[in-house]
Amino acid sequence: MRSPDNALEVDQLTRIFDVSSPWLNRVLERKPKRYLRAVQDVTFTVGKGKCLALVGESGCGKSTVARLVTGLYAPTEGAVVFAPDRNGRPMEAQMIFQDPHASLNPRWRVGDIVAEPIREFKLRASEEETAERVAEVLQIVGLSADDARRYPHEFSGGQRQRISIARALASEPEFLVCDEPTSALDVSVQAQILNLMRRLQDELGLTYLFISHNLAVVRHMADRIAVMYLGRIVEEADTESLFSNPEHPYTRLLLATIPDVRAPNRDRALMGGEPPSPLDPPGGCAFHPRCPLASELCSREAPAMRMRADGGRVACHFTDQKA
Ligand code: SF4
């Protein structure tokens, strides 16, 4: 580890997917193999007890990073290194998914869903102790011990996300990867779940990697924010510094397009349309087809990452100019 204060260090992480057609189709249609660089040279750290948010539009690679960190995907290149946990073993991350409806087995009672990691990792000596732990985590997330007997469909969306959080907490993790945990919920329920997650972080000393497409959601959760575009981090800074002084033109556009119910179609117009396909990324700076500051240099040469004055970093040829 580079620092004993870090819970996670991610170094030059790259993940390439083979998205080629089946072999026979490729031979008949004379098509080459195709590769998708979902994540490219991504480097960041998360301090113990802190929350780092990865933010960007759909397809920017942030969910792939989440799956690389939790071990659901293996990296093509680069490293994911966790600090030792409180027992001296390598820290393991638990994941909370976007859609609690899809991630909870509808045929299992809530008690069995929450008990699954406890049983799998043999964390309690008996079924009685397992049931006690299930009751405890259900209460920690604001449900009741009796809810263990019910099925997921008997709960609202917000309550189902509480069940997902209870399951993630059951094995007493120190690190949670939260992949858009509130984006499938109504706005009023989103705030309750975010408040719950903040409370849990304080009470249990958790560290979060928080994935979201929405800067407004992460503002009150994250200590630091890393903005991703087409598989790369383009800017990273402390949350308040990023909001008060966004340097990258993409970060500025994300801030300008924080969802507004009064103008739902404003975002895409301001953004200059959809992001390019990661299968065929533009040369130079990948943001140049949508960037209001783009010059000929931007289409030719990718900008290097440089330090911001506040200890953050940004990758843009012209960061001193305001869009
Ligand atoms: Fe825009 Fe050029 Fe900066 Fe890329 S390098 S963000 S295209 S100004």
Side-chain angles (χ1 to χ4, degrees):
M1 298 293 285
R2 272 171 270 160
S3 162
D5 296 334
N6 289 339
L8 170 67
E9 294 181 355
V10 166
D11 198 23
Q12 303 238 294
L13 203 57
T14 295
R15 172 67 203 214
I16 302 170
F17 292 102
D18 184 345
V19 292
S20 312
S21 310
W23 173 80
L24 189 58
N25 295 48
R26 274 193 287 118
V27 172
L28 292 174
E29 295 163 22
R30 293 168 188 267
K31 283 185 178 165
K33 281 198 150 203
R34 301 190 81 194
Y35 296 97
L36 185 149
R37 281 180 180 268
V39 172
Q40 180 77 43
D41 287 334
V42 164
T43 295
F44 61 82
T45 60
V46 189
K48 286 178 183 164
K50 302 289 185 188
C51 174
L52 174 79
L54 283 183
V55 177
E57 291 162 288
S58 152
C60 72
K62 57 192 189 302
S63 290
T64 304
V65 173
R67 282 160 176 73
L68 288 162
V69 165
T70 45
L72 290 173
Y73 294 154
T76 307
E77 286 168 27
V80 173
V81 183
F82 282 101
D85 67 10
R86 54 178 89 88
N87 300 313
R89 289 191 290 263
M91 205 182 273
E92 282 191 15
Q94 287 291 326
M95 189 145 168
I96 300 170
F97 293 92
Q98 174 176 0
D99 184 355
H101 192 63
S103 63
L104 301 177
N105 188 331
R107 285 184 289 276
W108 284 21
R109 291 182 196 274
V110 166
D112 288 323
I113 291 171
V114 176
E116 187 186 18
I118 305 173
R119 290 177 180 142
E120 188 179 336
F121 298 113
K122 300 187 173 44
L123 300 174
R124 291 293 184 277
S126 67
E127 272 303 302
E128 197 181 351
E129 286 182 31
T130 301
E132 278 171 20
R133 175 65 183 156
V134 168
E136 184 182 33
V137 282
L138 286 175
Q139 284 160 351
I140 287 173
V141 302
L143 297 169
S144 83
D146 290 343
D147 288 330
R149 289 201 291 269
R150 298 166 68 194
Y151 288 92
H153 74 263
E154 298 175 55
F155 295 86
S156 67
Q159 287 173 321
R160 281 200 293 263
Q161 196 56 295
R162 287 175 194 264
I163 298 168
S164 302
I165 296 169
R167 182 181 54 184
L169 294 178
S171 56
E172 297 169 46
E174 294 172 38
F175 197 108
L176 288 186
V177 177
C178 316
D179 188 6
E180 304 261 16
T182 63
S183 59
L185 305 174
D186 292 343
V187 175
S188 59
V189 182
Q190 279 188 15
Q192 292 169 17
I193 296 296
L194 291 173
N195 286 340
L196 169 67
M197 295 185 70
R198 281 194 67 122
R199 178 171 65 76
L200 293 174
Q201 186 180 21
D202 289 345
E203 289 177 4
L204 305 176
L206 298 168
T207 305
Y208 288 155
L209 178 62
F210 197 98
I211 312 291
S212 180
H213 66 282
N214 186 341
L215 273 170
V217 165
V218 302
R219 182 167 197 172
H220 301 292
M221 284 297 301
D223 301 287
R224 276 178 90 75
I225 297 176
V227 177
M228 286 189 71
Y229 189 76
L230 277 191
R232 293 177 186 269
I233 291 177
V234 295
E235 186 164 25
E236 184 198 344
D238 286 345
T239 302
E240 281 320 307
S241 304
L242 195 90
F243 271 80
S244 59
N245 184 27
E247 292 193 18
H248 197 282
Y250 180 59
T251 310
R252 286 190 217 131
L253 282 172
L254 278 182
L255 283 170
T257 54
I258 280 179
D260 183 345
V261 283
R262 290 160 302 179
N265 297 322
R266 180 194 57 152
D267 308 15
R268 289 282 156 228
L270 263 176
M271 275 294 201
E274 301 290 332
S277 165
L279 269 172
D280 189 18
C285 172
F287 189 53
H288 83 261
R290 303 168 79 191
C291 181
L293 297 182
S295 72
E296 188 270 330
L297 171 66
C298 304
S299 57
R300 195 161 32 85
E301 205 174 291
M305 189 67 86
R306 67 159 187 80
M307 296 304 286
R308 289 168 44 116
D310 54 17
R313 56 198 171 122
V314 60
C316 173
H317 291 304
F318 306 110
T319 49
D320 53 337
Q321 298 178 32
K322 300 291 178 193

